[in-house]
């Protein structure tokens, strides 16, 4: 396994729209394993392939306390959503920044698991927020895109300084 480099905001590659996965083969399995290692090492609770510069529809989530419940979503689609909730979100691509975002309270998601089998999941709370945040990455969207232009520009400047001073 290997730890992959994570793209940092405002890298323009974070706005790439991901392509759907046509076959779940050993190449995808290798990417899943490397992304899992990368996410747990960070540590994070969610990671989209977009963030490791792989522009395919693949996300990993583990919101468990024990960090032993990896959830893999290939070609995920939100088929229904309802309600609203505000959550203080972060992102491995925007380190040190946490801001409140309003999203759906509950979502119903259809996806393929790591064996290529279709499943449907009903999610609420943190898992629901995380699924919506990670699917956004596949659409080329970062959570800071929901903030005001003023806040977003302050974050942009802070990130550029941070990366220059590293
Ligand atoms: C997305 O984010 C998420 O700033 C996953 O310095 C986050 O794993 C969805 C992280 C919150 C819903 C709620 C962020 C690690 C991890 C940082 C993450 C940092 C170190 C973020
Ligand atoms: Co993110």
């Amino acid at each position: 396994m290997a730890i992959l480099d994570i793209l940092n905001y405002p890298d323009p590659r974070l706005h790439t729209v991901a392509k759907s996965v046509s076959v779940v083969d050993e190449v995808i399995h290798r990417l899943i394993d490397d992304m899992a290692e990368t996410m747990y090492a960070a540590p994070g609770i969610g990671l989209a392939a977009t963030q490791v510069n792989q522009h395919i529809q693949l996300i990993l989530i583990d919101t468990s306390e024990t960090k032993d419940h990896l959830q893999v979503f290939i070609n995920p689609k939100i088929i229904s959503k309802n309600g609203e909730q505000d959550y203080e979100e972060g992102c491995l691509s925007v380190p040190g920044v946490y801001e409140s975002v309003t999203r759906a309270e509950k979502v119903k998601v259809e996806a393929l698991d790591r064996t290529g089998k279709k499943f449907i999941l009903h999610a609420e709370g943190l898992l629901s927020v995380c699924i919506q945040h990670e699917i956004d990455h596949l659409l080329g969207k970062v959570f800071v895109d929901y903030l005001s232009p003023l806040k977003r520009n302050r974050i942009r400047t802070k990130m550029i300084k941070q990366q220059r001073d590293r």
Side-chain angles (χ1 to χ4, degrees):
M1 298 222 284
I3 292 189
L4 308 172
D5 286 333
I6 296 176
L7 300 179
N8 277 307
Y9 188 81
D11 193 309
R13 291 172 291 182
L14 285 170
H15 301 301
T16 311
V17 177
K19 293 197 162 65
S20 69
V21 173
S22 52
V23 272
V24 182
D25 57 12
E26 59 277 15
V27 179
I28 301 287
H29 285 152
R30 160 73 67 102
L31 180 59
I32 291 169
D33 291 345
D34 289 346
M35 282 176 59
E37 190 178 4
T38 304
M39 181 178 79
Y40 287 123
I45 58 169
L47 186 67
T50 309
Q51 293 175 275
V52 295
N53 202 27
Q54 295 292 323
H55 303 286
I56 60 167
Q57 292 175 21
L58 166 64
I59 66 178
L60 269 55
I61 292 177
D62 189 343
T63 55
S64 71
E65 206 93 331
T66 42
K67 297 290 153 231
D68 58 356
H69 196 79
L70 183 69
Q71 289 178 287
V72 175
F73 301 78
I74 298 165
N75 302 340
K77 257 198 230 29
I78 293 176
I79 47 184
S80 67
K81 48 171 124 185
N82 59 73
E84 266 194 6
Q85 63 177 329
D86 295 340
Y87 203 98
E88 194 87 0
E89 298 188 14
C91 180
L92 288 172
S93 292
V94 199
V97 173
Y98 300 88
E99 292 285 349
S100 182
V101 176
T102 305
R103 297 191 188 268
E105 181 190 4
K106 295 181 181 181
V107 292
K108 186 170 160 187
V109 191
E110 182 187 295
L112 303 179
D113 66 16
R114 67 170 291 151
T115 71
K117 191 169 165 280
K118 188 178 125 177
F119 67 96
I120 288 177
L121 179 78
H122 296 256
E124 56 182 78
L126 175 59
L127 179 59
S128 168
V129 174
C130 206
I131 289 169
Q132 294 173 71
H133 175 117
E134 300 309 331
I135 289 178
D136 267 355
H137 278 300
L138 304 182
L139 301 169
K141 259 197 215 173
V142 181
F143 82 103
V144 298
D145 295 338
Y146 292 106
L147 307 177
S148 70
L150 177 65
K151 272 193 178 173
R152 190 164 53 249
N153 277 317
R154 284 179 178 156
I155 293 165
R156 173 185 291 268
T157 304
K158 178 179 162 179
M159 289 300 115
I160 291 168
K161 279 193 187 131
Q162 239 176 48
Q163 286 160 53
R164 185 196 60 202
D165 296 340
R166 253 190 311 143

